Structures are given as C-alpha cells and as structure tokens.
Amino acid sequence: MDKLRITGGRPLEGEIRVSGAKNAALPIMCAALLTEHALALENVPRLMDVATMAKLLARMGVELGPQRDGRIELRAARVSDPQAPYELVKTMRASVLVLGPLLARCGRARVSLPGGCAIGQRPVDQHIKGLQAMGANIAVEHGYMDARTERLRGARVVMDLVTVTGTENLMMAATLAEGSTLLENAAREPEVVDLARCLSAMGAKIQGAGSDVIRIEGVASLGGARHAVMPDRIETGTYLAAVAAAGGKVRLAGAAPETLEATLEKLREAGARLALEGDAIGIEMAARPRAVSLRTAPYPGFATDMQAQLMALNAIARGTALITETIFENRFMHALELQRLGAEISIQGNTAVVSGVERLQGASVMATDLRASAGLVIAGLVAEGQTVIERIYHLDRGYEALEGKLAALGARVERLR
Ligand code: EPU
C-alpha cells in the first residue's frame, strides 16, 4: 500500500489551481441516470471516487467517454441494470446517490445499504423516508434497499436532520415525479446548489436550492446538458490551512471564495492575511498561528470536512482551542495520530481540547479517512524531520494530484510504493 513521506519544516510558496469539487461531481454524475441524452461535464477532478462512480454507472449501462482535461461525457441511453452492489457501495458511500435517479427513471432500484464508516454510523433513513413519501415501496432485506414504484409523486418532505446526500437524492428523484415536491430542512451546501444548476440545465424546475426549502416541479423528461463542476471548497480550505500552519505565501487560482466564508473567518482569526481577487485566494502567514476554537455545523457553518485540518493547525498554535464535532460521532481519529507527532489533545465527548505546542516531530502515522489524512499531511508539513503517512489511498479518493500540488509549493513530499 502506498505511503507518503513528508519532510516538514518548510514554508509553502507559489501558486496552484483548485480542482473541481468531489462532492459536487459525484451527485452530478448520478444525474446522468435521469436522462437518455448526453451529459457533458467539465472540471471533473481525477480521483479514485470519481473512477469508482464511473465504474458503478458503467455497470448499469451508462456509456462514459474517457476523462480528459477534466471533461467526461455520460450517456444513459438505456439503464440495463439498476443496481448498486455492496462491493462498490462499501468503498464509496456516495454510491447511494444512484437510488433517487434510478427510481425516478426506471421505477425500480436495488442499492446496497452502505453500512458503518470510519467517521460514524451514517444511516440513510432520511433518503428512504423521503422516497417513501413520494410513493416508493422500499423493502430493506439482506443488506439491500429494494425500491419500486410506478411514477413517483411529488410530496412534502420534512427532513429530521440536515443531510447533504439525502437532499441530493430526493431532489434528483423529484425532478421526474408527478407534481411538485417540497423539501424542508434541506441541506444548503454549495454542492446541492451546483447539482440544482446542472439539473436545471437539463430542464428540471427547481427553486430555492441553497436555502432550507427547495421546491421541485416534476417534468415528464429531462434533456442533455453541459455543466462545469464547481471548485472544491474543501480542497481549497485544506491548502489554505496548510499555509496557515506551515507559514508562507500562496495563491490558489480557480477557487470559489464565496463558498468558504466560515473557513476564511477562522484562518483570519488564526492570523493569516487573506486577499480575495475574483476566483483567486491569496494567503500569507508569517508567524505561528493563534489557537482558534470551532464547532462544526451544516453549511454555512464550519464544515466537518475541514475539522481535521484545523485541528492540525491548532496543534502548533499559540493557546488552547476547543473543537466540537456535531455532525459525525466518531470524527476524531486523527487526534490520536496527531498525538504520535507530539500534539497535546484530549477528547471530552464530542469536544477536543487542543493545547498548542511549539513544534511537532515527524513519526509514522496512519490515515483513517479522507479528511483525517489531510490533517496528517498538514501536521507532517510543520513537523520536524520525516513523517510517513500510511494508507494514503484515502487521500487519493479525494485530493487530485496532492503530491504534485504540494511539490509546486516547495514541500518535500514523496510517494513510497
Ligand atoms: N444522517 C442520518 N440519516 C440519514 C442521512 C444522514 O442520520 O438518512 C446523519 C449522518 O449520520 C450524519 C448527519 O446526518 O450524522 C449528516 O450527514 P450527511 O447525510 O449530510 O452526510 P453525507 O451526505 O453522507 C456529505 C459529504 C461528506 C460530508 C457530509 C457532511 C458527499 C459525497 N459526502 O456526506 O463528505 O462530511 O456531507 O457535510 O457529499 C468527505 O468528503 O470526506 C465527506 C465525508
């Protein structure tokens, strides 16, 4: 299994380009199932999760062109096999995003339950509840959701909690339902808005995406479209946090600063100087960061997907930070690994108390999930000596050209095979 060796202690300098957003690209690829026409996507990141989604869709009969320069064309002229098997769903939970589109297009779907996950239980009850309200019959048997329906009917769905992929699944299903659907307590994440933009370009009638009430007027069929995936706000935030921790001066081009308010605010609080010019973000950090406390929350609150990276920053900050995780019940695995590098962190329930130390020391650590790994990379960049991160397949799932981008900023990073 590949490892990443980082020799820390260098500031980061230079310019890199942000990739397309993983968590927007995955649902948008699933939207191709809703139409027999071609969906041409741009700015699709080259990632393991995108390859897994392509494999899943291909199994169902979707024709996919090659992925070149961020472009990929998908065409579901016919859906031959509306199933998502356990082998694929267990490696990537986002596979569950085929459920709504398959049901809407084919009237049936068989999708594996995702099961547990490194960061929490992550049930899909809200996806099921919403589709049932729209008239689907869903039996959960032998680890699979077996869903059937005639045409879905529009419904009012009040979600018990804010769920990103749940909102996306129901929004996609509702585009082809009979009548109008009201999704209340919907997720407001920018990725939901990007999906709505793509669906609208395909002819869907959607209002309110980006607010907590989304209204979808069902149409009889959708057409093809061309859509450029939004920039990855978590990748952007990860590089910004890396600079805030390691010091230096970096410009990130092709970003969407308006989707990063909560992260930018925390980085300013930590002492970073930020310059926003259109779609570019400049960051400069000359001193050791100040500790910044935070509490994760659904958008526009502080993203849980940025929590590990800010924990790494706090590990070497001046002062003590309280980090409270409210979205996932088991998302502090990186804290134990950061301790191996010399961080002082104690966990009390869903709060981590991080007492900043002056320096971290390189050591071997293990990546446990995608964002935890990103936190370890940041810690490795600041630690003295060498840090070896094991199981970096997690990083390959969600960070395009990570070593190349870090190397472009002057970091000493090598992949050990
Ligand atoms: N939840 C339920 N029932 C449901 C759905 C969710 O109880 O039916 C709970 C979850 O267990 C969790 C909370 O609701 O406690 C929020 O989960 P959500 O459904 O919003 O998460 P998700 O849609 O499965 C997406 C991202 C995650 C990101 C979360 C939160 C994608 C493909 N994944 O997951 O991204 O952490 O939203 O913002 O969009 C990552 O990229 O590393 C990643 C994990």
Side-chain angles (χ1 to χ4, degrees):
M1 256 184 275
D2 291 6
K3 301 175 185 180
L4 204 63
R5 180 160 67 202
I6 305 178
T7 308
R10 277 197 180 190
L12 302 172
E13 309 271 348
E15 173 164 340
I16 50 174
R17 209 176 166 76
V18 171
S19 296
K22 167 178 86 79
N23 289 348
L26 297 175
I28 288 171
M29 288 173 78
C30 295
L33 289 167
L34 291 164
T35 173
E36 65 194 87
H37 301 283
L39 183 60
L41 302 179
E42 296 171 11
N43 206 30
V44 177
R46 192 172 279 281
L47 299 172
M48 213 41 229
D49 274 7
V50 167
T52 306
M53 185 60 86
K55 195 163 142 194
L56 175 62
L57 295 173
R59 271 183 61 118
M60 295 176 185
V62 179
E63 294 160 44
L64 290 106
Q67 187 179 351
R68 264 194 224 116
D69 301 329
R71 288 165 205 264
I72 189 167
E73 193 169 293
L74 302 91
R75 184 159 182 210
R78 221 167 54 87
V79 179
S80 49
D81 186 19
Q83 297 206 45
Y86 180 59
E87 297 78 65
L88 290 174
V89 180
K90 76 174 181 207
T91 62
M92 187 183 67
R93 298 181 56 88
S95 310
V96 80
L97 283 163
V98 299
L99 179 63
L102 284 177
L103 208 44
R105 171 91 181 269
C106 313
R108 65 197 171 94
R110 191 162 181 273
V111 176
S112 168
L113 283 171
C117 160
I119 60 178
Q121 289 183 29
R122 305 182 75 182
V124 287
D125 56 303
Q126 300 301 309
H127 303 231
I128 295 176
K129 185 183 110 170
L131 291 169
Q132 283 172 334
M134 294 167 76
N137 268 314
I138 305 184
V140 179
E141 283 169 350
H142 305 292
Y144 277 80
M145 296 179 275
D146 236 315
R148 278 173 192 274
T149 183
E150 309 253 304
R151 189 171 173 200
L152 290 169
R153 294 185 308 268
R156 174 173 175 234
V157 180
V158 184
M159 280 171 275
D160 297 342
L161 44 79
V162 177
T163 156
V164 178
T165 51
T167 301
E168 292 166 344
N169 234 338
L170 299 181
M171 185 165 75
M172 286 192 277
T175 58
L176 292 179
E178 189 176 347
S180 65
T181 297
L182 207 57
L183 300 180
E184 296 187 22
N185 198 22
R188 292 179 282 169
E189 267 66 4
E191 292 76 11
V192 173
V193 179
D194 204 33
L195 172 64
R197 244 184 250 132
C198 178
L199 292 168
S200 301
M202 293 164 68
K205 296 196 172 138
I206 301 176
Q207 284 178 341
S211 77
D212 60 359
V213 181
I214 304 178
R215 178 185 287 277
I216 304 115
E217 200 65 52
V219 295
S221 64
L222 293 173
R226 177 172 295 280
H227 178 80
V229 173
M230 66 174 282
D232 197 314
R233 66 193 167 100
I234 307 300
E235 186 202 24
T236 309
T238 300
Y239 286 107
L240 292 172
V243 180
K249 187 175 178 189
V250 165
R251 187 168 183 271
L252 297 174
E258 67 282 3
T259 63
L260 274 149
E261 296 283 343
T263 298
L264 297 181
E265 196 42 50
K266 287 294 158 194
L267 294 173
R268 276 192 201 101
E269 234 180 279
R273 281 184 38 201
L274 297 170
L276 310 185
E277 326 145 19
D279 70 355
I281 305 178
I283 178 164
E284 194 172 349
M285 188 73 167
R288 188 174 160 203
R290 282 191 291 274
V292 281
S293 293
L294 59 96
R295 187 184 176 83
T296 63
Y299 192 85
F302 188 88
T304 174
D305 287 346
M306 280 301 302
Q307 181 254 105
Q309 299 89 317
L310 268 280
M311 189 181 290
L313 171 116
N314 276 306
I316 50 102
R318 271 176 291 134
T320 298
L322 298 183
I323 298 186
T324 304
E325 172 59 54
T326 73
I327 308 291
F328 293 112
E329 66 276 14
N330 187 28
R331 215 177 194 182
F332 280 148
M333 301 281 274
H334 43 281
L336 295 168
E337 301 298 311
L338 290 171
Q339 283 172 356
R340 291 186 43 76
L341 302 176
E344 286 182 16
I345 304 170
S346 72
I347 309 281
Q348 293 161 14
N350 68 343
T351 297
V353 182
V354 189
S355 308
V357 294
E358 223 161 292
R359 51 183 73 86
L360 298 175
Q361 301 110 38
S364 286
V365 288
M366 184 113 81
T368 49
D369 78 77
L370 172 57
R371 309 304 172 185
S373 318
L376 295 177
V377 169
I378 293 175
L381 290 169
V382 269
E384 286 174 348
Q386 293 193 336
T387 297
V388 176
I389 305 179
E390 298 192 23
R391 300 202 182 166
I392 55 159
Y393 57 84
H394 290 293
L395 284 164
D396 296 333
R397 292 186 47 195
Y399 287 92
E400 185 176 46
L402 178 83
E403 303 112 271
K405 289 188 185 189
L406 286 173
L409 300 179
R412 280 172 291 179
V413 183
E414 290 166 86
R415 184 178 287 250
L416 310 175
R417 292 179 194 273

